Amino acid sequence: MSSTSVQISSAQIRETIKLFRKAGLRECVLLWLGRREQGIQHIVEVYKPLQNTSIDYFEIPRNGMAALDRLRTQALYVVSQIHTHPLEAFHSSADDKWAIVRHVGALSIVLPNFAKSTTLKNFLREAAVYQLDDANSWNAVSSEQMADHLRITK
Ligand SMILES: [Zn+2]
C-alpha cells in the first residue's frame, strides 16, 4: 500500500451507506475522520456534518465547518469526503472547487443513485474515487489502483 492509502472497516462502510439511505432523494455528504498511523490513514469515525442539500446539491455552512474544530483536540482530521449524486458518480467542477479535504493524498468519493444500490460488497465497484495530487488536481483512481488507495478491512 502507498503512504497515502486509506483504511476503513466494513462496519464503517455499512454506517456510511445507512446514513446516505436515510438522507433519501437528496445529495448527502459525509466526512471520514481518522488519523495517520505508520503511513496509513485509518478511519475512526464516519461523521455527517451540518449541511444544506437538495436533489443535486450540497453545501456545508460555516457553522458546520466550525463544528470540526473539535478534531484538533482529538488529533483527528478529515481523511476523506464522500457524497452521493442522483445519477452517475463523477467529480463535478463544483466538487473540485468546493472539496473540503485539501491535503495531498486526500480522497473524494462519489456514489451514484443516492447510494440506493450500494452495498458493502459492491462498494468499491460503485464508488468513483478521486485523489488530490500535489498540483491540487483531483485524479480518478482506477479499479487496478484501488487496493493501493482504499482498503476495506473486516
Ligand atoms: Zn458531486
Side-chain angles (χ1 to χ4, degrees):
M1 293 179 92
S2 72
S3 62
T4 52
S5 62
V6 172
Q7 221 170 80
I8 186 166
S9 71
S10 299
Q12 290 164 331
I13 292 291
R14 285 202 200 92
E15 170 75 2
T16 296
I17 294 168
K18 195 175 92 186
L19 288 167
F20 284 145
R21 297 266 176 88
K22 244 188 186 165
L25 301 179
R26 289 173 165 270
E27 286 200 3
C28 179
V29 62
L30 300 173
L31 305 176
W32 286 354
L33 310 181
R35 50 176 72 101
R36 195 183 294 270
E37 280 159 20
Q38 279 140 20
I40 294 173
Q41 305 180 86
H42 290 272
I43 304 304
V44 303
E45 185 184 337
V46 176
Y47 178 71
K48 183 177 178 181
L50 205 66
Q51 52 196 273
N52 301 320
T53 62
S54 73
I55 188 163
D56 59 0
Y57 170 84
F58 74 85
E59 173 207 55
I60 299 179
R62 196 169 296 156
N63 50 343
M65 291 309 293
L68 288 169
D69 283 350
R70 72 173 169 96
L71 298 183
R72 245 173 284 144
T73 56
Q74 295 179 302
L76 293 174
Y77 67 102
V78 181
V79 175
S80 304
Q81 67 179 82
I82 176 164
H83 74 280
T84 52
H85 276 182
L87 297 169
E88 304 104 286
F90 62 97
H91 223 242
S92 68
S93 51
D95 292 337
D96 287 351
K97 192 169 170 202
W98 299 112
I100 301 134
V101 283
R102 280 285 164 208
H103 59 281
V104 173
L107 296 183
S108 179
I109 302 167
V110 188
L111 289 173
N113 308 314
F114 299 119
K116 296 285 175 259
S117 54
T118 308
T119 63
L120 173 61
K121 239 180 164 167
N122 71 16
F123 184 89
L124 291 175
R125 278 196 309 274
E126 289 224 328
V129 179
Y130 298 82
Q131 189 162 48
L132 195 68
D133 67 19
D134 50 14
N136 206 34
S137 305
W138 288 100
N139 302 299
V141 174
S142 69
S143 47
E144 296 79 46
Q145 302 168 305
M146 196 67 85
D148 284 336
H149 296 283
L150 178 58
R151 187 168 293 186
I152 300 172
T153 61
K154 283 212 172 148

